[in-house]
Amino acid sequence: MRKNILIVGAGFSGAVIGRELAEDGHNVRIIDSRAHIAGNCYSERDEKTNVMIHTYGPHIFHTDNEEVWNYISSHCEMMPYVNRVKATVNGQVFSLPINLHTINQFFKTTCNPEEAKKLIESKGDATILDPKTFEDQALRFVGKELYESFFKGYTIKQWGMEPKELPASILKRLPIRFNYDDNYFNHKYQGMPKEGYTPIVESILNHENITVELNTDYNPQEKENYDHVFYSGQLDGYFGYSLGRLGYRTLDFDKFTVEGDYQGCAVMNYCEVDVPYTRITEHKYFAPWEKHDSTVCYKEFSRSCTEKDIPYYPIRQMGEMTLLGKYLDSAEKEQNITFIGRLGTYRYLDMDVTIAEALDVVRAYRLSVQENTVMPNFVVNPR
Ligand code: FAD
Ligand code: UDP
C-alpha cells in the first residue's frame, strides 16, 4: 500500500531512505532547514577559482562495504583518490598515519620493518595492560615521544580536553604501519566523486515520487499527516532541548585563496598545541585530476558547539551519554518515527556507514510494512 512518508534532512541518510521508499512506490516528502541538499557533505565550486570546495570540511569516500561502494558509484563517477596526510611537528614535516618513514625520520634511524617494530615496542609502556583512555592507548602502543609529538597537542585542540579524559577508541581509528604505506585509510575502496558530493545526492533524490523542500524546518504538528517520519535532525532538538543539550564540537573554517600552490598537499596537520588550528586543507588536491592556477585553503579550528553553531563531532563522554539515555527513553515512546543518521542517533558516522545504515533502515521498514508490524524507532542502538 502506498504510504505517505516525511523525511527530515536531505543529507545522505534522508536521501538514501527517500529514494528507496520512492522506488517502492511510496509518496516521499523531504525537507531540510538549509538552503541546499547533501547535508554536511555539500560541495560546490568556488566562484573565483572554480576549485571544488567541501564547504563543511573535507570528505573522502572510503569503505570496505561493496554494496555501499556499488550504490554510490551508480550515482557518480568515482575518481581514484588516496588520502595522504602530512603533519608539521617540531619544525619538520612528517607523514601520517605513523609509518616506517615517520618512525625513521622521527628517531633518525634506518630501521627495516622488524627493527621498527622492536623499536616501537621498546618505547611502549608495557605496564599498561588494558588501555581504556586515549592517553594510555598511545603510551602503550607508540610510547611517550611519538604520543607527545603527534597526538597530545592535536587531540587537546580537537576535543578541548586532555587525552586521558577521552576513550581509547578515538586513537584506534588510526593505524600504525611498519612499512612505507602512507594511505591514511585501510579500506578496500577509496575515491573522490568527479563533480563533488552534491550531484550524488541530487541524483539519489531524482525520482518522481520525491518532493524536496529546502529552507523548511520540521514542524511537529505535521507529523500526524504522515504514515511514518524518518528524522535525521538532532535528537535533543526533536524534544526542544527540554532536558539540556547534547555536547558537540564545532569547527570554524578560515577560508583563504592564494595564487599557485599553498602547501602542496591536501591535508597538513599541525600537531602542536601552540598552533591554534588543527589542520589546513588545500581543496584542489582533493581533485588531483583538475588543474587550477590559484588555490583555496581552509584553516580548521575546533571548539565547543553553542546553540548558534553547526554540530559536527558528538562528544559522547559520560555526562553526554547519561543525557543521551534520557532522550532515548523519550524517543522510544514516540510513534511512527525513526531517528536516523549522525544527528538523530548522536554518533560520528562516516558516509559509508551512513549509507549502509540507511539501507538497513529501509530493509526494516519494508519488513514492517510486509508483516504489518511496528517499525522500530532506532535500527541501530545508539547507547
Ligand atoms: P547530515 O549530513 O548532517 O544531514 C542532516 C540534514 O538534516 C542537514 O542537511 C540538516 O540541515 C537537516 N536538518 C537537521 N535538523 C533539521 C530540522 N529540524 N528540520 C529540517 N532539516 C533538518 N565521512 C566520510 O566518510 N569521510 C570523510 O572524509 C568525512 N569527513 C568529515 C569531516 C567533517 C568535518 C565532518 C563533520 C564529517 C565528516 N564525515 C566524513 C561524515 C559525514 O559528514 C557524515 O557521514 C554525513 O554527513 C552523515 O549524513 P547525515 O544525512 O546523517 O547527516
Ligand atoms: N589525531 C591526532 N593527531 C593527528 C591526527 C589525528 O592526535 O595528527 C587524533 C585526534 O584525536 C583525532 C583522532 O586521532 O580525533 C582520529 O583521527 P582522524 O583523522 O580519524 O580524525 P577525524 O577524521 O575525526 O577528524
Side-chain angles (χ1 to χ4, degrees):
M1 201 184 70
R2 187 165 213 210
K3 304 276 187 193
N4 266 334
I5 306 286
L6 175 66
I7 297 185
V8 181
F12 267 116
S13 297
V16 170
I17 294 171
R19 174 59 180 256
E20 294 299 304
L21 298 187
E23 297 278 355
D24 290 352
H26 301 306
N27 193 22
V28 178
R29 176 174 174 239
I30 305 187
I31 57 169
D32 201 298
S33 43
R34 294 182 187 177
H36 60 72
I37 59 167
N40 274 7
C41 304
Y42 177 72
S43 57
E44 64 190 331
R45 290 214 177 262
D46 177 62
E47 269 181 30
K48 264 193 286 182
T49 61
N50 207 36
V51 170
M52 184 63 76
I53 301 296
H54 300 191
T55 310
Y56 300 94
H59 279 69
I60 299 111
F61 200 91
H62 53 96
T63 190
D64 275 333
N65 185 324
E66 198 170 341
E67 183 188 22
V68 168
W69 181 253
N70 290 340
Y71 185 93
I72 195 145
S73 303
S74 72
H75 288 281
C76 68
E77 185 178 348
M78 269 293 177
M79 300 297 279
Y81 180 83
V82 176
N83 200 31
R84 299 184 202 282
V85 175
K86 306 286 177 233
T88 297
V89 179
N90 308 336
Q92 278 185 282
V93 176
F94 294 93
S95 152
L96 285 182
I98 290 178
N99 61 64
L100 198 45
H101 203 162
T102 326
I103 294 166
N104 276 329
Q105 189 188 350
F106 187 85
F107 292 110
K108 299 191 170 56
T109 50
T110 54
C111 291
N112 67 22
E114 270 315 306
E115 291 161 346
K117 242 181 240 171
K118 287 208 182 90
L119 175 67
I120 297 301
E121 261 165 34
S122 77
K123 302 277 175 192
D125 181 348
T127 65
I128 304 171
L129 296 178
D130 180 21
K132 292 236 163 21
T133 70
F134 185 111
E135 180 165 277
D136 280 353
Q137 176 78 11
L139 291 174
R140 172 72 189 84
F141 291 105
V142 299
K144 192 167 184 293
E145 292 131 296
L146 288 172
Y147 163 59
E148 289 187 346
S149 294
F150 290 100
F151 300 123
K152 193 172 180 186
Y154 189 99
T155 298
I156 291 172
K157 291 190 287 184
Q158 172 82 355
W159 293 99
M161 56 185 107
E162 292 292 324
K164 55 165 115 27
E165 299 170 74
L166 288 163
S169 57
I170 296 181
L171 185 59
K172 285 184 192 160
R173 294 215 289 257
L174 296 185
I176 166 159
R177 300 213 187 96
F178 297 101
N179 58 31
Y180 289 94
D181 178 4
D182 61 352
N183 182 347
Y184 201 68
F185 300 116
N186 274 333
H187 286 138
K188 183 170 168 194
Y189 304 103
Q190 186 172 172
M192 193 61 79
K194 192 170 182 190
E195 287 302 324
Y197 291 93
T198 311
I200 301 179
V201 179
E202 220 163 62
S203 160
I204 296 172
L205 293 172
N206 182 18
H207 192 283
E208 58 184 1
N209 292 342
I210 299 181
T211 55
V212 179
E213 282 166 55
L214 299 175
N215 302 305
T216 308
D217 274 330
Y218 173 64
N219 174 358
Q221 277 148 13
E222 279 189 286
K223 184 163 169 271
E224 61 197 40
N225 302 336
Y226 295 91
D227 294 302
H228 202 83
V229 176
F230 294 90
Y231 186 88
S232 73
Q234 283 175 254
L235 175 65
D236 49 355
Y238 180 82
F239 295 100
Y241 308 100
S242 56
L243 304 171
R245 282 183 175 259
L246 289 169
Y248 280 93
R249 299 290 289 173
T250 192
L251 298 174
D252 293 322
F253 299 111
D254 175 6
K255 181 181 171 187
F256 59 96
T257 304
V258 293
E259 281 300 302
D261 263 26
Y262 181 72
Q263 61 184 18
C265 65
V267 184
M268 177 69 77
N269 287 1
Y270 288 83
C271 301
E272 282 146 330
V273 79
D274 312 336
V275 179
Y277 40 90
T278 50
R279 59 183 183 175
I280 298 179
T281 54
E282 185 165 358
H283 287 228
K284 72 176 175 186
Y285 279 98
F286 291 115
W289 58 92
E290 294 187 3
K291 292 276 166 281
H292 299 277
D293 294 336
S294 32
T295 197
V296 183
C297 296
Y298 271 33
K299 214 178 249 184
E300 212 168 298
F301 300 82
S302 170
R303 65 175 168 81
S304 179
C305 184
T306 73
E307 285 178 29
K308 295 184 201 108
D309 301 311
I310 301 173
Y312 280 99
Y313 297 99
I315 294 177
R316 292 180 76 87
Q317 288 289 89
M318 279 275 276
E320 285 83 14
M321 294 312 278
T322 308
L323 184 57
L324 173 66
K326 292 182 187 160
Y327 277 120
L328 291 174
D329 291 343
S330 303
E332 275 151 10
K333 292 188 192 109
E334 292 286 302
Q335 286 182 349
N336 303 330
I337 183 162
T338 302
F339 295 87
I340 56 168
R342 58 175 206 101
L343 298 171
T345 64
Y346 189 59
R347 288 173 307 147
Y348 181 86
L349 299 180
D350 273 325
M351 290 179 278
D352 62 325
V353 180
T354 303
I355 294 172
E357 286 193 6
L359 293 171
D360 285 341
V361 167
V362 169
R363 285 189 263 269
Y365 188 71
R366 283 178 182 149
L367 197 67
S368 77
V369 171
Q370 216 173 31
E371 301 191 344
N372 201 19
T373 51
V374 175
M375 171 67 187
N377 297 90
F378 293 91
V379 166
V380 175
N381 183 359
R383 284 179 206 265

